[in-house]
Coordinates of all heavy atoms in Angstrom, one line a residue:
A1 N 0.8 -1.2 0.0 CA 0.0 0.0 0.0 C 0.9 1.3 0.0 O 0.6 2.2 -0.7 CB -0.9 0.0 1.2
A2 N 1.9 1.2 0.8 CA 2.8 2.4 0.9 C 3.5 2.6 -0.4 O 3.7 3.7 -0.9 CB 3.8 2.2 2.0
E3 N 4.0 1.5 -1.0 CA 4.7 1.6 -2.3 C 3.8 2.2 -3.4 O 4.3 2.9 -4.3 CB 5.2 0.2 -2.7 CG 6.0 0.2 -4.0 CD 6.4 -1.2 -4.4 OE1 6.6 -2.1 -3.5 OE2 6.7 -1.5 -5.6
L4 N 2.5 1.9 -3.4 CA 1.6 2.4 -4.4 C 1.1 3.8 -4.1 O 0.4 4.4 -4.9 CB 0.4 1.4 -4.5 CG 0.8 0.1 -5.1 CD1 -0.5 -0.9 -5.1 CD2 1.3 0.2 -6.5
G5 N 1.5 4.3 -2.9 CA 1.1 5.7 -2.6 C -0.1 6.0 -1.8 O -0.6 7.1 -1.7
F6 N -0.7 4.9 -1.2 CA -1.9 5.1 -0.4 C -1.6 5.8 0.9 O -0.5 5.7 1.5 CB -2.6 3.8 -0.1 CG -3.3 3.2 -1.3 CD1 -2.7 2.3 -2.2 CD2 -4.6 3.6 -1.6 CE1 -3.3 1.8 -3.3 CE2 -5.3 3.1 -2.7 CZ -4.6 2.2 -3.5
D7 N -2.6 6.6 1.4 CA -2.4 7.3 2.6 C -2.7 6.4 3.8 O -2.1 6.7 4.9 CB -3.4 8.5 2.7 CG -3.2 9.5 1.6 OD1 -2.0 10.0 1.5 OD2 -4.1 9.8 0.8
A8 N -3.5 5.4 3.7 CA -3.9 4.6 4.8 C -4.4 3.2 4.4 O -4.6 3.0 3.2 CB -5.0 5.3 5.6
V9 N -4.6 2.4 5.4 CA -5.2 1.1 5.1 C -6.4 0.9 6.0 O -6.5 1.5 7.1 CB -4.2 -0.1 5.4 CG1 -3.0 -0.1 4.4 CG2 -3.6 0.0 6.9
E10 N -7.3 0.1 5.5 CA -8.6 -0.2 6.2 C -8.5 -1.7 6.5 O -8.4 -2.5 5.6 CB -9.8 0.1 5.4 CG -11.1 -0.1 6.1 CD -12.3 0.3 5.2 OE1 -12.1 1.3 4.4 OE2 -13.4 -0.3 5.3
I11 N -8.5 -2.1 7.8 CA -8.2 -3.5 8.2 C -9.4 -4.2 8.7 O -10.2 -3.6 9.5 CB -7.1 -3.5 9.3 CG1 -5.9 -2.7 8.8 CG2 -6.8 -4.9 9.7 CD1 -4.8 -2.5 9.9
F12 N -9.6 -5.4 8.3 CA -10.7 -6.3 8.8 C -10.1 -7.5 9.5 O -9.7 -8.4 8.9 CB -11.6 -6.7 7.6 CG -12.3 -5.6 6.9 CD1 -11.6 -4.7 6.1 CD2 -13.6 -5.3 7.2 CE1 -12.3 -3.6 5.5 CE2 -14.3 -4.2 6.6 CZ -13.6 -3.4 5.8
P13 N -10.1 -7.4 10.8 CA -9.5 -8.5 11.6 C -10.6 -9.6 11.9 O -11.8 -9.4 11.9 CB -9.1 -7.8 12.9 CG -10.1 -6.7 13.1 CD -10.5 -6.3 11.7
S14 N -10.1 -10.8 12.3 CA -11.0 -11.9 12.7 C -11.7 -11.6 14.0 O -12.8 -12.0 14.3 CB -10.2 -13.2 12.8 OG -9.9 -13.6 11.5
A15 N -10.9 -10.8 14.9 CA -11.4 -10.4 16.1 C -10.5 -9.3 16.6 O -9.3 -9.3 16.2 CB -11.6 -11.5 17.1
A16 N -10.9 -8.5 17.6 CA -10.0 -7.5 18.1 C -8.8 -8.1 18.7 O -7.7 -7.5 18.6 CB -10.8 -6.7 19.2
E17 N -8.9 -9.2 19.3 CA -7.8 -9.9 20.0 C -6.7 -10.3 19.1 O -5.5 -10.6 19.5 CB -8.3 -11.0 20.9 CG -9.3 -10.7 22.0 CD -10.7 -10.4 21.5 OE1 -11.0 -10.7 20.3 OE2 -11.5 -9.9 22.3
T18 N -7.0 -10.4 17.8 CA -6.0 -10.9 16.8 C -5.0 -9.7 16.4 O -4.1 -10.0 15.7 CB -6.6 -11.5 15.6 OG1 -7.4 -10.5 14.9 CG2 -7.5 -12.7 16.0
L19 N -5.3 -8.5 16.8 CA -4.5 -7.4 16.5 C -3.8 -6.9 17.7 O -4.4 -6.7 18.8 CB -5.3 -6.2 15.9 CG -5.8 -6.4 14.4 CD1 -6.6 -5.1 14.1 CD2 -4.7 -6.7 13.5
D20 N -2.5 -6.7 17.6 CA -1.7 -6.1 18.7 C -1.5 -4.6 18.3 O -0.7 -4.2 17.4 CB -0.3 -6.7 18.7 CG 0.6 -6.1 19.8 OD1 0.3 -5.0 20.3 OD2 1.7 -6.7 20.0
P21 N -2.2 -3.7 19.0 CA -2.2 -2.3 18.6 C -0.8 -1.7 18.5 O -0.4 -0.9 17.7 CB -3.0 -1.6 19.7 CG -3.9 -2.6 20.1 CD -3.2 -3.9 20.1
S22 N 0.1 -2.1 19.5 CA 1.5 -1.6 19.5 C 2.2 -2.0 18.2 O 2.9 -1.2 17.6 CB 2.2 -2.0 20.7 OG 1.6 -1.5 21.9
A23 N 2.0 -3.3 17.9 CA 2.7 -3.8 16.7 C 2.2 -3.1 15.4 O 2.9 -2.8 14.5 CB 2.6 -5.3 16.6
V24 N 0.8 -2.9 15.4 CA 0.2 -2.2 14.2 C 0.7 -0.8 14.1 O 1.0 -0.3 13.0 CB -1.3 -2.3 14.3 CG1 -1.9 -1.5 13.2 CG2 -1.8 -3.7 14.2
K25 N 0.8 -0.1 15.2 CA 1.3 1.3 15.2 C 2.8 1.3 14.7 O 3.1 2.2 13.9 CB 1.3 1.8 16.6 CG -0.1 2.2 17.1 CD 0.0 2.7 18.6 CE -1.4 3.0 19.1 NZ -1.4 3.4 20.5
R26 N 3.6 0.4 15.1 CA 5.0 0.4 14.6 C 5.0 0.1 13.1 O 5.8 0.7 12.3 CB 5.8 -0.7 15.3 CG 6.1 -0.4 16.8 CD 7.1 -1.3 17.3 NE 6.7 -2.7 17.4 CZ 6.1 -3.2 18.4 NH1 5.8 -2.5 19.5 NH2 5.7 -4.5 18.3
L27 N 4.1 -0.8 12.7 CA 4.1 -1.2 11.2 C 3.7 0.0 10.4 O 4.3 0.3 9.3 CB 3.1 -2.4 11.0 CG 3.0 -2.9 9.6 CD1 4.3 -3.4 9.1 CD2 1.9 -4.0 9.6
I28 N 2.6 0.6 10.7 CA 2.1 1.7 9.9 C 3.0 2.9 10.0 O 3.2 3.7 9.0 CB 0.6 2.1 10.2 CG1 0.5 2.7 11.7 CG2 -0.3 1.0 10.0 CD1 -0.8 3.3 12.0
A29 N 3.7 3.2 11.1 CA 4.6 4.3 11.2 C 5.8 4.0 10.3 O 6.3 4.9 9.7 CB 5.1 4.4 12.7
M30 N 6.3 2.7 10.2 CA 7.4 2.4 9.4 C 7.1 2.7 7.9 O 8.0 3.1 7.2 CB 7.7 0.9 9.6 CG 8.9 0.4 8.7 SD 9.3 -1.3 9.1 CE 7.8 -2.2 8.6
H31 N 5.8 2.6 7.5 CA 5.5 2.8 6.1 C 4.8 4.1 5.9 O 4.4 4.4 4.8 CB 4.5 1.7 5.7 CG 5.2 0.3 5.6 ND1 6.2 0.0 4.7 CD2 5.0 -0.8 6.3 CE1 6.6 -1.2 4.9 NE2 5.9 -1.8 5.9
G32 N 4.7 5.0 6.9 CA 4.1 6.3 6.8 C 2.6 6.2 6.4 O 2.1 7.1 5.7
L33 N 1.9 5.3 7.0 CA 0.5 5.1 6.7 C -0.4 5.5 7.9 O 0.1 5.6 9.0 CB 0.2 3.6 6.4 CG 0.8 3.0 5.1 CD1 0.7 1.5 5.1 CD2 0.1 3.6 3.8
G34 N -1.6 5.7 7.6 CA -2.6 5.9 8.6 C -3.5 4.6 8.7 O -3.5 3.8 7.8
I35 N -4.4 4.6 9.7 CA -5.5 3.6 9.7 C -6.8 4.3 9.4 O -7.2 5.2 10.2 CB -5.6 2.9 11.1 CG1 -4.2 2.3 11.5 CG2 -6.7 1.9 11.1 CD1 -3.9 1.1 10.7
A36 N -7.4 4.0 8.3 CA -8.7 4.6 7.9 C -9.8 4.1 8.7 O -10.7 4.9 9.1 CB -8.9 4.3 6.4
A37 N -9.9 2.8 9.0 CA -11.0 2.2 9.8 C -10.6 0.8 10.1 O -9.8 0.2 9.5 CB -12.3 2.3 9.1
L38 N -11.3 0.2 11.1 CA -11.3 -1.2 11.4 C -12.7 -1.8 11.2 O -13.7 -1.2 11.6 CB -10.9 -1.5 12.8 CG -9.4 -2.0 13.0 CD1 -8.5 -0.9 12.5 CD2 -9.2 -2.3 14.5

């Protein structure tokens, strides 16, 4: 997504517990992305 120039990603998880917010924050920061919605 970052390579193609998108500003953000919209994520659909299996459940809230399957996402680690700290890890997601690090990941999107590394790529300069935002989170549009869950």
Side-chain angles (χ1 to χ4, degrees):
E3 182 180 334
L4 293 173
F6 284 94
D7 298 307
V9 292
E10 183 176 327
I11 305 171
F12 293 78
S14 290
E17 298 76 13
T18 63
L19 286 181
D20 177 352
S22 296
V24 174
K25 286 177 184 177
R26 289 194 297 271
L27 179 63
I28 63 170
M30 180 172 67
H31 292 294
L33 294 167
I35 303 289
L38 257 61

